[in-house]
Amino acid sequence: MENLFLQPTSTTTLLVTAGILLVWYVFYPNFDRKRKDLPGPRPLPLFGNLFQINPKSFNSTLYELSKKYGSVFTVYLGPQKVVILAGYKTVKDALVNHAVEFGDRYSSPGFHDLSGEQRNGIIFANGDSWKEMRRFALINLRDFGMGKKAAENKIIEEVQYLIDVFERHEGQPFSTAKSINNAVSNIISSIVFGSRFEYSDEEFTLMITRANDNFRLLGSSSLQLYNMFPWIFQWARNRRHLKRNVAENRKQMKRLIGRLQGTLNVEMCRGFVDTFLAHRQKLEDLKITDAHYDIENLVSTTANLFVAGTDTTGTTLRWILLLMAKYPQIQDQVQAELSRVVGDRQVRAEDRKNLPFADAVIHETQRFANILPISVPHQTSTDVTFQGHFIRKGTPVFPLLTSVLWDESEWESPHTFNPAHFLDKDGKFVKRDAFMAFSAGRRACPGEGLAQMELFLFFTSLVQRFSFTPPPGVKEDDLDLTPALSFTRTPSPHELCAISRGGIQN
């Protein structure tokens, strides 16, 4: 009888001991003796700060925590220690002044699924592969119009296609999302593939739909939990959906590349893909082996450019038209400036310097809408002491761009849509140091120049031709600015009316 009582007690003790050892094994390596130097909410073993973070509003949670714990603090996403950088001065100090130390890319389980097993391309790669692909892309994308006159002509051509789509709705309510995404995606497609797609092209629209869907999935609660506890949530439906999307888009990219490869003329490259293939062929002719220039790396780089050149610019344009409908007096001012400076002719890139209010509205939309609230995660490349805090090599680092674009010490009214943030007392456009919509440092968006030209030409051309209003029976005040749940801050589904204002003379 005595053994019957002792056996359960011994078993319980053994299980508790094993549990403590397991927690110690999984969790302890993420603590270090410098932990006291890094403020942050107290984590629980294994669970970390799970119960203090709202997975449906991850960036908002971090933003609120930054107000309590300062500009450099830690959170534990499950057992994973993460350093959060908040505020303009701190984020700039890390990404610009300590660019090498904070320059590596951290790939969470979700981003690992998005980037694939190879982890090559531009966005998620590290080391020599990243350096070579970024260098090659920057040089050759410029040759095909990135930020140049050739890009301007492509954008103006695409503006006309988009205007035709808007005109067909004849002033009736419609969602701008699909047509804007198609138009914006065609700009990067023409630069990368050498030609645009028809909006009815099923292959094209499926690629865009899946790419946009992936941002939604990455922002979902189940993917946030998968990032924290991949061994538990690896079978989550959204994770399986993400992997299917990625696999299908890679197949489509390979098919598109295969067609271009079959018609390649190295003397007349049509776009970035042709240039990559021509360089690869040259290396083969010279019998030089360079692992950076394989087809898998081309697929990843092309996919990176396609997604980066579609989502954020398209999302910003959707926000700006929604904001024009919500604030008609601001739309009136933009249109008055356009009428005074440009008249009825097509707006050109060179007009930007004479349209300060329109330029301010675009920049303020990027600041206020805060499209990418958290930069794609970084990782320390070495041990670093930063602003008095010791951070170990390999530590994930999240630059909180929300805290930069809404920094109360940098912006007069950070939580209000106010184009005056970018205007001086004489109404001239002014740059603001704390405008960090494209991140900064080594990992800053390489397509910033192209994106800014697209936003300017699309926006001014659209408001020159149309006035955007809420649907009949909906007041401006009732237009909802609450973002949808996604990795990027996208507008919630909505409809607008595009009321024609007359023609544009090319």
Side-chain angles (χ1 to χ4, degrees):
M1 180 68 76
E2 182 180 354
N3 287 338
L4 291 176
F5 284 106
L6 283 175
Q7 187 173 355
T9 302
S10 301
T11 303
T12 301
T13 302
L14 183 62
L15 288 172
V16 169
T17 302
I20 291 172
L21 290 173
L22 177 62
V23 170
W24 183 275
Y25 174 78
V26 173
F27 197 57
Y28 181 76
N30 290 306
F31 284 101
D32 58 60
R33 293 174 184 175
K34 301 287 184 178
R35 173 68 182 88
K36 63 183 180 181
D37 291 338
L38 286 160
R42 185 179 179 84
L44 293 172
L46 195 60
F47 293 101
N49 298 118
L50 172 64
F51 303 112
Q52 295 152 293
I53 293 174
N54 181 358
K56 292 184 177 180
S57 188
F58 183 53
N59 64 288
S60 296
T61 302
L62 296 182
Y63 182 57
E64 292 304 316
L65 288 173
S66 72
K67 295 179 180 179
K68 180 177 181 180
Y69 294 105
S71 60
V72 185
F73 65 98
T74 59
V75 294
Y76 282 79
L77 305 181
Q80 178 65 64
K81 173 184 176 179
V82 175
V83 171
I84 311 299
L85 304 176
Y88 163 64
K89 292 179 180 177
T90 293
V91 172
K92 180 185 177 183
D93 190 16
L95 301 188
V96 177
N97 301 334
H98 295 79
V100 174
E101 295 93 326
F102 290 94
D104 277 0
R105 179 68 77 211
Y106 169 68
S107 185
S108 65
F111 279 124
H112 178 73
D113 290 342
L114 190 65
S115 62
E117 294 297 326
Q118 294 82 14
R119 296 204 192 184
N120 47 24
I122 299 175
I123 297 177
F124 300 103
N126 283 312
D128 292 340
S129 178
W130 169 73
K131 290 177 184 177
E132 180 62 17
M133 282 302 98
R134 184 179 172 92
R135 182 199 65 80
F136 185 84
L138 285 173
I139 291 172
N140 289 286
L141 288 172
R142 290 192 192 105
D143 291 342
F144 293 102
M146 183 78 88
K148 293 184 178 181
K149 192 77 173 179
E152 179 184 12
N153 293 334
K154 288 182 173 75
I155 297 165
I156 289 174
E157 177 189 5
E158 201 63 41
V159 162
Q160 301 310 313
Y161 288 107
L162 184 59
I163 285 174
D164 289 344
V165 173
F166 281 20
E167 288 278 16
R168 288 181 211 141
H169 292 282
E170 299 181 337
Q172 297 302 305
F174 70 103
S175 170
T176 62
K178 184 177 180 180
S179 53
I180 284 178
N181 281 335
N182 288 344
V184 169
S185 187
N186 257 337
I187 305 304
I188 193 64
S189 293
S190 65
I191 291 172
V192 171
F193 300 114
S195 63
R196 67 179 298 277
F197 295 88
E198 295 297 327
Y199 295 168
S200 58
D201 188 302
E202 183 178 4
E203 191 172 50
F204 176 59
T205 55
L206 280 174
M207 281 197 302
I208 295 173
T209 298
R210 283 194 287 258
N212 290 337
D213 196 31
N214 287 346
F215 280 99
R216 178 188 63 81
L217 294 169
L218 285 170
S220 67
S221 299
S222 59
L223 260 294
Q224 297 294 334
L225 290 170
Y226 167 63
N227 284 333
M228 297 183 195
F229 310 104
W231 63 92
I232 299 175
F233 291 94
Q234 61 180 309
W235 306 114
R237 183 175 61 181
N238 280 352
R239 192 246 173 164
R240 298 200 306 272
H241 189 174
L242 176 71
K243 287 177 70 68
R244 283 197 304 271
N245 281 350
V246 170
E248 286 301 316
N249 267 4
R250 287 189 72 87
K251 286 180 185 177
Q252 278 194 267
M253 288 290 174
K254 286 182 178 179
R255 284 197 292 269
L256 287 169
I257 290 168
R259 292 172 201 159
L260 292 172
Q261 194 167 18
T263 57
L264 178 66
N265 179 351
V266 296
E267 302 299 326
M268 294 182 62
C269 291
R270 295 157 291 189
F272 173 79
V273 170
D274 277 10
T275 303
F276 188 105
L277 292 171
H279 184 72
R280 185 169 182 265
Q281 184 172 311
K282 180 181 178 180
L283 292 175
E284 290 176 352
D285 292 344
L286 295 172
K287 301 188 184 314
I288 297 173
T289 301
D290 190 334
H292 300 317
Y293 291 93
D294 63 8
I295 293 298
E296 288 299 327
N297 211 352
L298 175 58
V299 172
S300 295
T301 302
T302 303
N304 289 171
L305 293 170
F306 181 83
V307 171
T310 298
D311 184 81
T312 53
T313 304
T315 298
T316 304
L317 279 172
R318 290 175 60 203
W319 273 114
I320 202 168
L321 297 186
L322 177 61
L323 288 164
M324 292 304 94
K326 189 171 182 66
Y327 301 109
Q329 70 281 7
I330 293 178
Q331 182 173 210
D332 290 345
Q333 286 181 259
V334 175
Q335 290 169 337
E337 184 181 62
L338 283 165
S339 296
R340 185 175 64 253
V341 175
V342 178
D344 292 332
R345 68 170 171 81
Q346 171 64 54
V347 184
R348 308 293 303 195
E350 64 186 14
D351 294 316
R352 186 172 181 170
K353 62 182 179 295
N354 297 317
L355 296 167
F357 190 76
D359 204 6
V361 167
I362 294 167
H363 281 75
E364 178 63 0
T365 299
Q366 293 175 279
R367 186 204 67 79
F368 175 77
N370 182 26
I371 306 299
L372 190 64
I374 304 172
S375 174
V376 180
H378 290 232
Q379 180 173 284
T380 48
S381 61
T382 184
D383 288 354
V384 57
T385 299
F386 177 71
Q387 295 189 357
H389 303 290
F390 177 81
I391 305 172
R392 286 193 181 280
K393 177 182 178 180
T395 300
V397 177
F398 289 9
L400 190 58
L401 298 185
T402 293
S403 67
V404 178
L405 297 174
W406 295 354
D407 192 327
E408 294 178 0
S409 65
E410 296 290 333
W411 305 97
E412 293 76 16
S413 52
H415 306 291
T416 303
F417 180 67
N418 179 13
H421 283 138
F422 293 92
L423 297 169
D424 65 15
K425 60 183 177 61
D426 297 319
K428 295 180 180 179
F429 180 82
V430 292
K431 294 181 178 180
R432 298 290 294 265
D433 291 339
F435 179 75
M436 208 177 280
F438 296 93
S439 193
R442 300 174 79 200
R443 295 283 181 167
C445 175
E448 179 177 352
L450 176 64
Q452 291 289 32
M453 183 184 288
E454 286 184 72
L455 290 172
F456 176 74
L457 291 173
F458 273 112
F459 169 58
T460 54
S461 298
L462 289 172
V463 296
Q464 184 185 43
R465 178 65 69 93
F466 303 101
S467 288
F468 293 90
T469 67
V474 178
K475 297 179 180 178
E476 289 90 354
D477 291 344
D478 294 332
L479 287 176
D480 187 10
L481 299 183
T482 304
L485 181 63
S486 176
F487 177 73
T488 52
R489 292 180 87 249
T490 61
S492 296
H494 63 277
E495 292 186 336
L496 299 175
C497 298
I499 310 300
S500 181
R501 302 180 66 237
I504 300 175
Q505 301 298 319
N506 291 318

